Amino acid sequence: MTYLHNKKIKTKNINNSIGKFATEHLLKTSEYEFNINQVDTYIKTISDDDFLLYKDDPKNYYNDKNKLINEHVQFQQFYIITIKAPVKCILDLDYTIKYTNNNSSAFMVLNPDSHIPYKTYKPKEIYLLLLKEVNKIKAQNKILVNIFDNQMKEKLKAFTKYLYQGKFSKKIKIPLFDGIEPEITINSKLIMHFFKKRNSFQIAEVNEGELLVEYIKPMFGKNGLNAFGEIITNNYSDNKDDLEADIDSDTIEILEDDEKKLYKSKIRGYVHFDEKEFYIDNKIKMSKLSRVQNALTKDEANNIEVTISQNDTSVDSIGEGVKLTSETIHINGHVGAKSILEAVNLKIDGATHQESIQKAKFADINRHKGKLRCHKAKIKLLEGGEVHATYVEVEASLGGTIYAEDVIIGHVKNNLKVYASNSITIRLVSGEDNLFKINYRDIPTLNSKLNFLDKEIEDLKYTLEGALKHTQSQVPILKDQIKKLQEQKYKIVDSAKSAKITITEPLNGLNTITFTLNEEDELMYKTDARLYKPFYLEESDSHIILHPTDKKISLNS
């Protein structure tokens, strides 16, 4: 690899200068290192308009900190560095840099994994190498170099002795800058006004323009000086007690002056605050919901999304007896006994209690033990629960009952009952005493649909009788409507004739396959431990046979 000749640069920001230099020469910053040739310190006092070069401390600022603070002294440093191609490093320090409140002091935490070849160098040489390397690290992090560092030098000397005694087996804390901590006369304070609205619901609904949070800034009786050479005043404060969450500017506005900082709502809605994000919208997030809070929302049309998250696996996210209705509900934990959840979209990451009820259009449940009614269900593990749906998909089952038009299951163990009208598709049945039955009469939703269709057909026939006498133009329309409803009815009633049960892998024991034709005729087959082709009915002029078995019903009897 070809490197350019060494380059000498004067800079206030070493990292930026090296990055710019590398970019100009189409190389990576890691392909360069630097040495500090000279450090120039500039100061600005209350009587100065600009920063002026300051040498040898003629005004005794370094020793008289009261004078430094009273004259509002600020520091800046420029570094004359030589950027050069990297050479093999003598030292390789593994460290982190930490700061005290308001950055008034800085220190390095040095890890024993650092490479310091003290056995091949004299103690004074190692000390000077450490001092040089630490000053480079300080300069890269914009920490003042060569001033207010007496503690650092003493600590490095002590550490060098410690190193040669072979005791560097734990992390070592090395002070990098001994600044001036401001004297606080009024401590900062964070007031969470919206907490007052949480009451038993654990959530806060706020209006537009409402004060959510108030941060009262600290007041300093005496200023300080930080590790970057800046004066620590009321305006500088690091606001360590202020909110650290990401603020959504679309829903929350911030009003700030020298004394305080106000967070106000820009819209009406529910407050979300989890110490990472702070925003307002129509989605509710909670840690748990108990029966006394079941009035959270009662109207599905409220367009609210409820998310309830409980990290403690021994505690139910939805407590006993809760009734919750919303457009979307997401439960991160478990659902307690005698609870009722109703939603368009329902997701439960935990388990449902055997005495719980869920109603949804679309349901996604991790472990199901309760009673579910929905249009489409997706269940990871069915543990004795009951499911009523149009379409059901289950990854694995340990008993339970399913009523649906179409069912797909990955792995069935024991004591599962599946009642379907169109199809049952299973990858593996490893246990016994399972029932797979095709019979629309066993499915309550289809019975309800048939009752509805019969009523609609009867109403249309009554209307048709009147149309034949008075409004002939409506007759074709009514007949067409009756025909379509009858087609829907016959599709359900005759569903067994086109239904299919498929079990992909060999069965391991005794299970029951049943196709019900009408109230009297039924074909039943007990399986053996072997592989079967799909089960389905074939009708001829004389009989109906259940394939791939020899079970049949005569049509002439």
Side-chain angles (χ1 to χ4, degrees):
M1 182 178 292
T2 302
Y3 291 97
L4 299 176
H5 293 296
N6 295 352
K7 176 71 174 181
K8 188 173 288 188
I9 295 175
K10 183 173 183 178
T11 178
K12 189 167 69 171
N13 189 317
I14 293 174
N15 290 334
N16 284 354
S17 295
I18 293 177
K20 182 180 178 181
F21 184 80
T23 301
E24 290 174 351
H25 295 86
L26 303 178
L27 293 172
K28 299 178 181 178
T29 55
S30 59
E31 296 174 351
Y32 291 101
E33 67 172 27
F34 72 97
N35 283 334
I36 298 177
N37 307 113
Q38 181 177 321
V39 180
D40 292 332
T41 300
Y42 293 77
I43 69 167
K44 180 181 177 183
T45 68
I46 194 170
S47 58
D48 297 325
D49 294 327
D50 298 304
F51 281 88
L52 303 173
L53 185 62
Y54 188 71
K55 294 183 178 181
D56 302 325
D57 194 25
K59 296 186 179 182
N60 200 35
Y61 288 138
Y62 298 157
N63 297 313
D64 191 345
K65 293 186 176 181
N66 285 328
K67 182 180 179 182
L68 185 152
I69 293 300
N70 291 336
E71 296 186 17
H72 292 231
V73 179
Q74 303 174 61
F75 293 86
Q76 282 188 1
Q77 288 187 330
F78 283 83
Y79 315 97
I80 297 175
I81 64 172
T82 298
I83 301 175
K84 60 181 184 177
V87 295
K88 185 177 181 180
C89 296
I90 298 175
L91 302 182
D92 185 10
L93 303 184
D94 183 359
Y95 66 91
T96 56
I97 294 178
K98 297 184 179 294
Y99 299 90
T100 58
N101 292 343
N102 300 306
N103 302 318
S104 58
S105 296
F107 58 91
M108 171 190 289
V109 178
L110 195 59
N111 196 304
D113 291 336
S114 299
H115 175 67
I116 307 174
Y118 64 93
K119 293 182 179 180
T120 56
Y121 289 86
K122 295 180 180 179
K124 184 176 181 180
E125 292 173 326
I126 286 293
Y127 167 74
L128 292 175
L129 286 170
L130 284 169
L131 181 62
K132 179 181 177 181
E133 187 66 22
V134 170
N135 277 333
K136 285 175 62 176
I137 292 169
K138 287 174 63 176
Q140 281 187 290
N141 288 274
K142 300 182 181 179
I143 300 171
L144 294 179
V145 177
N146 296 337
I147 57 177
F148 304 108
D149 61 355
N150 290 331
Q151 287 188 29
M152 182 191 82
K153 292 176 180 177
E154 292 300 319
K155 186 67 176 181
L156 284 176
K157 290 177 182 177
F159 171 66
T160 302
K161 293 180 181 179
Y162 187 77
L163 190 64
Y164 277 87
Q165 293 172 0
K167 296 181 178 180
F168 185 28
S169 59
K170 297 181 179 180
K171 293 180 180 180
I172 295 292
K173 184 177 177 180
I174 298 174
L176 299 179
F177 183 86
D178 183 20
I180 304 171
E181 187 70 28
E183 294 180 5
I184 299 176
T185 55
I186 299 178
N187 288 316
S188 61
K189 186 177 182 181
L190 188 66
I191 305 172
M192 310 295 280
H193 291 286
F194 73 90
F195 278 4
K196 299 173 186 177
K197 288 195 163 189
R198 280 184 163 177
N199 55 53
S200 63
F201 295 100
Q202 299 182 343
I203 60 173
E205 183 178 5
V206 296
N207 295 314
E208 181 181 350
E210 187 168 339
L211 179 61
L212 308 175
V213 177
E214 180 178 4
Y215 171 63
I216 299 174
K217 297 180 179 180
M219 297 296 293
F220 297 147
K222 193 172 184 180
N223 293 337
L225 178 74
N226 70 18
F228 314 117
E230 301 166 327
I231 299 173
I232 304 174
T233 65
N234 294 328
N235 292 330
Y236 172 81
S237 172
D238 62 3
N239 298 330
K240 64 182 178 65
D241 294 322
D242 194 6
L243 286 179
E244 295 184 355
D246 291 332
I247 311 300
D248 178 21
S249 59
D250 292 334
T251 60
I252 297 175
E253 69 171 332
I254 301 174
L255 304 175
E256 185 174 9
D257 58 25
D258 293 343
E259 298 180 356
K260 58 189 175 182
K261 191 174 181 182
L262 305 179
Y263 298 82
K264 289 190 172 184
S265 58
K266 297 172 80 172
I267 63 171
R268 181 179 180 180
Y270 296 91
V271 178
H272 288 259
F273 175 67
D274 60 5
E275 297 183 1
K276 292 182 179 179
E277 294 181 306
F278 187 32
Y279 61 93
I280 300 170
D281 68 5
N282 64 342
K283 299 177 182 179
I284 300 174
K285 293 186 178 180
M286 306 172 64
S287 61
K288 62 180 179 179
L289 188 64
S290 64
R291 184 167 53 188
V292 296
Q293 301 157 340
N294 62 11
L296 176 64
T297 173
K298 298 178 180 178
D299 183 8
E300 183 183 307
N302 56 20
N303 197 30
I304 288 175
E305 179 177 329
V306 181
T307 300
I308 300 175
S309 179
Q310 173 59 261
N311 294 323
D312 187 348
T313 56
S314 65
V315 179
D316 289 337
S317 295
I318 296 292
E320 181 176 347
V322 167
K323 295 181 180 179
L324 176 62
T325 302
S326 189
E327 182 180 11
T328 299
I329 298 175
H330 183 183
I331 310 299
N332 183 251
H334 303 318
V335 176
K338 299 178 182 178
S339 61
I340 300 175
L341 303 179
E342 296 185 46
V344 175
N345 301 291
L346 174 64
K347 182 175 175 59
I348 300 173
D349 296 333
T352 59
H353 192 277
Q354 61 186 14
E355 296 182 28
S356 66
I357 296 174
Q358 299 80 42
K359 301 176 182 179
K361 185 173 183 180
F362 303 100
D364 187 343
I365 300 176
N366 184 35
R367 294 165 51 203
H368 184 56
K369 303 177 183 181
K371 181 179 288 187
L372 170 64
R373 296 182 182 276
C374 66
H375 168 64
K376 185 176 182 179
K378 186 175 182 180
I379 299 170
K380 189 169 185 179
L381 178 62
L382 181 62
E383 294 185 76
E386 184 175 310
V387 182
H388 296 260
T390 304
Y391 176 86
V392 177
E393 184 175 342
V394 177
E395 288 188 27
S397 71
L398 298 172
T401 310
I402 299 174
Y403 304 88
E405 294 180 28
D406 296 281
V407 179
I408 295 177
I409 307 175
H411 183 190
V412 176
K413 289 196 175 180
N414 303 303
N415 303 308
L416 175 67
K417 294 179 175 63
V418 180
Y419 302 93
S421 61
N422 296 334
S423 66
I424 300 173
T425 305
I426 303 170
R427 179 180 61 81
L428 172 65
V429 180
S430 63
E432 296 185 310
D433 300 322
N434 299 292
L435 170 63
F436 309 115
K437 186 174 182 179
I438 298 293
N439 184 12
Y440 75 87
R441 294 177 184 82
D442 291 323
I443 304 170
T445 55
L446 289 182
N447 287 320
S448 298
K449 187 174 182 179
L450 284 174
N451 291 333
F452 171 77
L453 290 173
D454 285 338
K455 186 178 182 303
E456 288 291 297
I457 291 170
E458 288 302 315
D459 289 345
L460 287 173
K461 285 181 177 179
Y462 178 78
T463 305
L464 178 59
E465 290 178 6
L468 288 169
K469 297 176 183 178
H470 306 292
T471 53
Q472 288 289 330
S473 61
Q474 291 296 313
V475 171
I477 297 174
L478 291 169
K479 286 184 176 180
D480 184 59
Q481 291 176 344
I482 292 171
K483 180 182 178 183
K484 288 180 179 179
L485 291 176
Q486 287 175 331
E487 287 173 352
Q488 292 183 45
K489 177 182 176 180
Y490 296 145
K491 183 178 180 181
I492 295 172
V493 172
D494 296 333
S495 56
K497 295 179 180 180
S498 59
K500 183 180 289 187
I501 298 176
T502 304
I503 303 173
T504 307
E505 298 186 21
L507 284 81
N508 291 332
L510 182 64
N511 297 280
T512 302
I513 303 291
T514 301
F515 280 70
T516 301
L517 298 169
N518 50 54
E519 293 180 358
E520 298 178 357
D521 296 322
E522 186 173 79
L523 286 167
M524 181 186 297
Y525 179 75
K526 300 291 186 179
T527 64
D528 296 319
R530 68 181 186 85
L531 178 65
Y532 288 90
K533 292 181 179 180
F535 296 87
Y536 65 95
L537 298 178
E538 182 181 15
E539 183 177 357
S540 67
D541 293 337
S542 59
H543 60 265
I544 296 177
I545 185 170
L546 173 60
H547 289 290
T549 75
D550 57 359
K551 296 286 184 178
K552 64 177 66 175
I553 294 175
S554 175
L555 297 178
N556 299 323
S557 59

